[in-house]
């Protein structure tokens, strides 16, 4: 599972970075989205990979063994990170459309160079 | 700080949040109400920050020195999130809110009418910056960073237009990318240490097994890159001058503090996490900061000299200011950090004033000047003729507008270039003095001193050129109108700089205490650790 997750993060990061450096605004947005997926998976991985382990301890806190539980903090962090990157990406999408309308091109610099 | 006074620590976050939420309930036609609401909230924020400054000073804390801690939700650290106010935070808060108030006041002239929800966004930006200065938790810092960035995205687009939209596209993209780096850094640090509380981190880093140290340092480095993007360090700064030039003047004035948020976090974390007490990790990346700072200064100086618009000059001066602070931080030392803090306060106020004064100054220039910019030769033959012709006159009448603007402009130029007698000079003098007094003055100290002096010279050259071109050559047409609403905030900012100069002694003493507290993170750690739940109302 570790290999699968790290490969997934690696592929997402690589394609996200490639798209981020493309000259079209839509590609840049897709790149940022892919990068944020990669980062979210990475945060989950930072809390150690566990399967079949609940993150919240039940009512009998005295007898519970913390080693049997997953770390709940990274999951909370990921939730926050997802919400924030979703909102900022949505805002960027609006700016993209405004830029397209004002400059008449979808190039990131607002003008189409010599190409 | 006892009783209800304790809640003053969280007020800089709650007050702008509530005020801006309230403002959303009214539509744009209730402009007068919104103006009073935001100005009132902003004035209260200044008083609040001043109170916090008082309570962290020796006189106000009445013996019980050390930072004040506010437990959110009354959970003890490190399980809950804490807000911490110490001398450094209080200074930054006061600086932010003074800039915020003047920016808002200036915006009343006409800028708040050029788009919807200006006041709400402005207050949310203040909330984000205040929160970033107060928080004692790295992930909470990320959240406040996002709050201030989201508000700044809205503000940079305020007024619309092709230039603004195009610049903000770059600005938003680079900041989202930097935020992702921030998250990667946070995740790496968490995976090694298992905590996100800054004070708790400071104690755990010393115990990090040497095998994990590389991972921890990688995390800190990635985190650092995210802050350096915000601080505008070369080569991560190409977006900054253009974005700031495109922003509306009151917004740009407030943005002057946003680069300082990056500097503040680097200052806070490098002393807490990589101070002398943190074992193998001590002194991490100080050299990197030094070289990056020097490169930024050099880039900024070249940028100042080559800029064709005053807004670009101001943008590149922001870079010089960041570079000076980072390079000084890389060299380090208690007196030097105190001098750097003084420079931070003085230069931020001066940059804010410059952004505000640029617009009325350029309004006086006719279209031709605006486009040709300040790169044209000023003392052309025609000007020589103009001066000779005037010899038989009794004198040149200087219009009142030009006199006020010219006076403010000279004031700004002196502050930025660091010429006596203003606070800019005191700041630079203190930095150079501290650099020379440090035991073993190395070649890097001399390089930094040289760059500081050259940056002053470059600023003076450009400001003189711009002043002659835009203000002090006889113009054919009458100068544009200047409203009191625009003059008052500029005057206020410059008056604060004047007060800094007159009160340099006490201010320096306070900042030296702040620097001493930074160099002794044990006090900060103990204050956070001892803040027991239930100890506060």
């Amino acid at each position: 599972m570790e290999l699968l997750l790290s490969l997934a993060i690696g592929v997402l990061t690589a394609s996200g970075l490639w798209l981020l450096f493309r000259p079209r605004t839509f590609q840049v947005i897709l790149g940022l989205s892919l990068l944020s997926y990669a980062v979210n998976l990475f945060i989950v991985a930072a809390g150690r990979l566990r399967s079949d382990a609940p993150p919240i301890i039940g009512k009998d806190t005295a007898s519970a063994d913390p080693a049997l539980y997953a770390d709940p903090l990274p999951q909370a962090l990921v939730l926050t990170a997802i919400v924030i990157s979703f909102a900022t990406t949505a805002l960027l999408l609006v700016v993209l459309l405004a830029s397209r309308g004002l400059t008449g091109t979808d190039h990131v610099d607002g003008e189409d160079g010599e190409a | 700080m006892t009783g209800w006074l304790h809640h003053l620590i969280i007020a800089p976050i709650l007050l702008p949040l509530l005020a801006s939420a309230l403002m959303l309930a009214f539509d744009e036609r209730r402009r007068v109400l919104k103006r009073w609401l935001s100005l009132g909230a902003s004035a209260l924020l200044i008083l609040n920050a001043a109170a916090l400054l008082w309570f962290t000073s020796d006189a106000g804390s009445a013996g019980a020195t050390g930072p004040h801690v506010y437990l959110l939700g009354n959970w003890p650290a490190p399980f809950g999130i804490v807000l911490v106010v110490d001398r450094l935070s209080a200074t930054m808060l006061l600086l932010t809110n003074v800039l915020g108030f003047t920016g808002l006041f200036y915006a009343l002239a006409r800028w708040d009418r050029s788009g919807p929800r200006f006041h709400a966004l402005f207050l949310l930006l203040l909330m984000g910056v205040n929160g970033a200065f107060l928080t004692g938790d790295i992930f909470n810092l990320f959240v406040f960073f996002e709050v201030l960035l989201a508000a700044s995205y809205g503000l940079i687009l305020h007024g619309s237009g092709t230039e603004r939209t195009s610049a903000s596209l770059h600005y938003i993209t680079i900041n989202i990318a930097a935020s992702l780096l921030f998250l990667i850094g946070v995740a790496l640090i968490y995976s090694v240490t298992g905590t996100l509380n800054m004070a708790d981190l400071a104690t755990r880093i010393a115990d990090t097994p040497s095998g994990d140290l590389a991972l921890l340092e990688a995390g800190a480095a990635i985190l650092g890159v995210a802050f350096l993007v915000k601080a505008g360090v070369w080569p991560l700064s190409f977006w900054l001058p253009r974005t700031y030039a495109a922003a509306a003047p009151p917004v740009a004035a407030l943005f002057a503090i946003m680069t300082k948020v990056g500097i503040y976090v680097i200052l806070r974390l490098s002393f807490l996490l990589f101070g002398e007490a943190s074992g193998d990790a001590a002194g991490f990346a100080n050299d990197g900061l030094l070289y990056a700072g020097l490169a930024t200064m050099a880039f900024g100086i070249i940028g100042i000299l080559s800029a064709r618009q005053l807004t670009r000059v101001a943008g590149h001066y922001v870079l010089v200011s960041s570079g000076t602070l980072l390079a000084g931080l890389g060299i380090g030392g208690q007196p030097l950090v105190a001098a750097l803090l003084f420079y931070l306060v003085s230069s931020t106020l001066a940059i804010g004033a410059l952004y505000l004064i640029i617009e009325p100054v350029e309004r006086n220039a006719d279209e031709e000047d605006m486009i040709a910019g300040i790169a044209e030769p000023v003392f052309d033959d025609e000007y020589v003729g103009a001066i000779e012709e005037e010899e038989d006159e009794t004198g040149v009448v200087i219009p009142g507008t030009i006199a006020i603007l010219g006076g403010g402009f000279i004031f700004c130029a002196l502050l930025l270039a660091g010429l006596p007698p203003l606070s800019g000079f005191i700041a630079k003098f203190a930095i150079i003095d501290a650099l020379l007094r440090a035991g073993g003055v190395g070649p890097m100290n001399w390089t930094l001193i040289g760059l500081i002096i050259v940056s002053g010279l470059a600023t003076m050259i450009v400001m003189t050129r711009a002043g002659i071109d835009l203000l002090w050559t006889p113009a054919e047409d009458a100068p544009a109108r200047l409203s009191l609403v625009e003059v008052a905030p500029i005057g206020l900012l410059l008056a604060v700089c004047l007060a800094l100069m007159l009160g340099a002694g006490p201010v320096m003493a306070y900042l030296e205490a702040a620097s001493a507290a930074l160099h002794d993170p044990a006090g900060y750690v103990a204050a956070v650790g001892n803040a027991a739940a239930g100890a506060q109302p």
Side-chain angles (χ1 to χ4, degrees):
Chain A
M1 191 159 101
E2 279 84 359
L3 185 68
L4 192 65
L5 187 74
S6 41
L7 276 178
I9 296 176
V11 170
L12 280 173
T13 312
S15 17
L17 274 180
W18 188 75
L19 282 172
L20 186 61
F21 294 128
R22 302 300 301 159
R24 304 280 154 209
T25 45
F26 188 66
Q27 292 168 318
V28 169
I29 288 204
L30 280 188
L32 282 175
S33 307
L34 289 184
L35 275 177
S36 74
Y37 297 149
V39 169
N40 290 340
L41 287 177
F42 184 77
I43 298 176
V44 175
R48 308 294 185 269
L49 280 179
R50 292 282 297 272
S51 50
D52 293 337
I56 295 173
I57 296 180
K59 278 184 181 154
D60 51 338
T61 46
S63 62
D65 177 13
L68 294 177
Y69 291 86
D71 189 347
L73 196 64
Q75 307 187 2
L77 301 187
V78 160
L79 214 56
T80 319
I82 290 173
V83 174
I84 290 176
S85 64
F86 171 73
T88 45
T89 310
L91 179 76
L92 187 54
L93 207 56
V94 176
V95 178
L96 179 160
L97 288 175
S99 166
R100 171 74 178 77
L102 285 167
T103 61
T105 165
D106 64 345
H107 193 275
V108 287
D109 289 334
E111 54 195 33
D112 247 332
E114 66 271 55
Chain B
M1 291 175 82
T2 49
W4 64 272
L5 282 177
H6 201 76
H7 296 291
L8 280 181
I9 299 178
I10 198 174
I13 300 170
L14 286 185
L15 194 63
L17 179 64
L18 292 178
S20 65
L22 191 62
M23 237 175 272
L24 290 178
F26 303 107
D27 75 1
E28 292 297 316
R29 277 166 295 182
R30 311 289 300 274
R31 192 178 297 119
V32 178
L33 180 74
K34 286 192 170 191
R35 284 176 168 180
W36 280 111
L37 202 58
S38 58
L39 271 185
S42 174
L44 279 178
L45 280 174
I46 293 185
L47 292 180
N48 189 340
L52 288 177
L53 199 73
W54 164 255
F55 282 118
T56 50
S57 70
D58 288 329
S61 55
T65 50
H68 299 280
V69 180
Y70 189 90
L71 302 173
L72 293 177
N74 224 2
W75 284 84
F79 304 106
I81 294 171
V82 290
L83 299 181
V84 186
V85 58
D86 63 353
R87 288 187 176 85
L88 179 61
S89 306
T91 314
M92 299 303 287
L93 278 179
L94 189 61
L95 180 62
T96 308
N97 292 309
V98 167
L99 264 185
F101 180 77
T102 48
L104 264 180
F105 202 118
Y106 184 89
L108 298 187
R110 66 194 173 99
W111 294 100
D112 64 337
R113 271 168 288 177
S114 55
R117 299 197 184 80
F118 176 83
H119 293 287
L121 284 171
F122 204 89
L123 286 176
L124 280 178
L125 180 56
L126 282 181
M127 172 205 161
V129 177
N130 288 347
F133 288 143
L134 280 173
T135 185
D137 182 280
I138 296 189
F139 197 77
N140 196 227
L141 180 68
F142 169 74
V143 175
F144 279 121
F145 254 93
E146 289 304 314
V147 170
L148 79 90
L149 285 175
S152 78
Y153 300 155
L155 282 176
I156 195 103
L157 284 164
H158 181 79
S160 196
T162 312
E163 175 62 24
R164 274 185 198 133
T165 314
S166 184
S168 61
L169 193 67
H170 297 180
Y171 174 74
I172 297 175
T173 308
I174 192 153
N175 275 304
I176 292 180
S179 298
L180 293 175
L181 286 176
F182 195 149
L183 282 175
I184 295 176
V186 167
L188 275 174
I189 289 180
Y190 180 76
S191 72
V192 174
T193 61
T195 182
L196 289 171
N197 183 294
M198 292 183 197
D200 198 30
L201 267 177
T203 52
R204 293 212 196 175
I205 278 184
D207 309 329
T208 310
S210 56
D212 286 346
L213 199 62
L215 203 56
L216 179 78
E217 291 190 342
I222 293 175
L223 201 62
V225 170
F227 300 133
L228 290 178
V229 170
K230 262 85 178 181
V233 165
W234 188 86
L236 308 170
S237 60
F238 298 114
W239 56 275
L240 193 145
R242 183 175 172 222
T243 312
Y244 281 30
V251 176
L254 191 58
F255 277 19
I257 195 78
M258 286 190 16
T259 55
K260 303 299 187 286
V261 179
I263 304 271
Y264 161 84
V265 178
I266 290 170
L267 198 64
R268 169 75 76 206
L269 288 184
S270 65
F271 280 110
L272 262 183
L273 307 190
F274 302 108
E276 278 155 22
S278 51
D280 294 341
F284 172 67
N286 275 355
D287 284 348
L289 286 183
L290 172 60
Y291 295 125
L294 292 177
T296 312
M297 285 181 81
F299 177 75
I301 293 169
I302 295 168
I304 285 179
L305 286 173
S306 65
R308 284 167 168 265
Q309 293 156 331
L310 266 178
T311 41
R312 295 288 173 113
V313 172
H316 285 104
Y317 192 84
V318 171
L319 298 185
V320 171
S321 166
S322 285
T324 311
L325 288 165
L326 284 176
L329 207 63
I331 292 177
Q334 200 164 309
L336 182 57
V337 171
L340 288 173
L341 290 177
F342 192 91
Y343 174 76
L344 191 160
V345 174
S346 162
S347 71
T348 310
L349 289 169
I351 292 169
L354 180 63
Y355 269 117
L356 293 185
I357 208 169
I358 283 174
E359 207 276 333
V361 165
E362 290 197 330
R363 198 187 308 156
N364 275 327
D366 45 39
E367 281 298 308
E368 224 171 285
D369 277 347
M370 292 278 273
I371 296 161
I374 50 179
E376 298 243 308
V378 168
F379 290 112
D380 239 358
D381 289 343
E382 58 173 311
Y383 289 122
V384 175
I387 290 166
E388 278 168 0
E389 277 166 29
E390 278 160 16
E391 272 181 4
D392 49 338
E393 290 179 14
T394 46
V396 185
V397 180
I398 300 176
T401 319
I402 297 291
I404 293 172
L405 281 181
F409 196 77
I410 295 174
F411 210 103
C412 272
L414 290 181
L415 269 174
L416 291 170
L419 290 183
L422 300 176
S423 57
F425 170 73
I426 299 174
K428 287 196 174 174
F429 185 82
I431 293 178
I432 293 176
D433 180 55
L435 280 172
L436 288 178
R437 266 192 300 170
V441 182
M444 280 305 136
N445 290 23
W446 287 111
T447 317
L448 180 54
I449 292 172
L451 278 175
I452 288 177
I453 293 171
V454 171
S455 75
L457 179 66
T459 316
M460 212 56 225
I461 291 172
V462 168
M463 293 295 272
T464 316
R465 261 198 336 206
I468 293 171
D469 202 21
L470 295 171
L471 284 172
W472 301 311
T473 41
E476 289 85 37
D477 39 347
R481 216 167 42 83
L482 189 67
S483 67
L484 183 68
V485 183
E486 288 171 324
V487 177
I490 300 172
L492 183 66
L493 277 182
L494 297 180
V496 174
C497 287
L498 207 60
L500 260 186
M501 174 198 104
L502 295 174
V507 173
M508 230 18 213
Y510 183 86
L511 292 176
E512 265 163 17
S515 167
L518 270 179
H519 281 78
D520 176 31
Y524 184 94
V525 172
V528 174
N530 294 337
Q536 48 187 292

